[in-house]
Amino acid sequence: MPMTAVDPSSLCSLFYTSTASRPLSKSDLENILMNARKTNLQEQVTGLLLFTEGKFLQYLEGPHSGVLKVFDIIKKSKLHQEITEVSQKPLGRREYGDWSMAFLADVDADCSQRAVEDGDVPLTGGLAADIINTSSRKP
């Protein structure tokens, strides 16, 4: 189901980091993604979640009210602790508009990375740097 058009002047981005409150299984991560994608679709939020060595790094974008609602749900989750908001700012256009919530994680001993968006999609390196750079750009 495609998202409806959003007034670009109402878009914002939010970038945060957190630590998992306990070791997370593959099933835990799948549940997080399933719930995030459902909520993000309802709130017209897109973005990317990275998870490695028990740490989350997430970039959210969408209507200001939707981004804040999603972040509030995350802050109340018992799966996150040490939540640090790195940046929040107006956004001229979406950077990750095609991803309701892409996911990037270490999946094996040599830390190869894959994104999960309606199936596994191999990624090249540098996506985390792209997200960090995107979060520091001016609107």
Side-chain angles (χ1 to χ4, degrees), residues 91-131:
L91 189 66
R93 65 177 175 82
R94 291 181 191 262
E95 298 290 334
Y96 300 98
D98 293 335
W99 292 346
S100 63
M101 184 51 55
F103 179 67
L104 183 68
D106 293 342
V107 292
D108 60 28
D110 38 280
C111 299
S112 47
Q113 298 174 326
R114 296 180 65 82
V116 179
E117 177 65 16
D118 299 328
D120 291 338
V121 180
L123 288 181
T124 59
L127 188 54
D130 287 347
I131 292 169

Side-chain angles (χ1 to χ4, degrees), residues 23 42-43 65 78 86 96-97 115-116 134:
Q42 291 170 347
E43 299 301 324
S65 61
K78 294 180 194 274
V86 177
Y96 300 98
V116 179
T134 297

Side-chain angles (χ1 to χ4, degrees), residues 16-22 32 49 56 58 73-83:
Y16 78 90
T17 62
S18 69
T19 303
S21 58
R22 62 176 174 77
I32 288 170
L49 173 64
F56 291 99
Q58 187 165 26
I73 291 168
I74 292 164
K75 290 188 291 187
K76 291 177 181 175
S77 169
K78 294 180 194 274
L79 296 176
H80 293 268
Q81 61 187 14
E82 301 170 11
I83 298 171

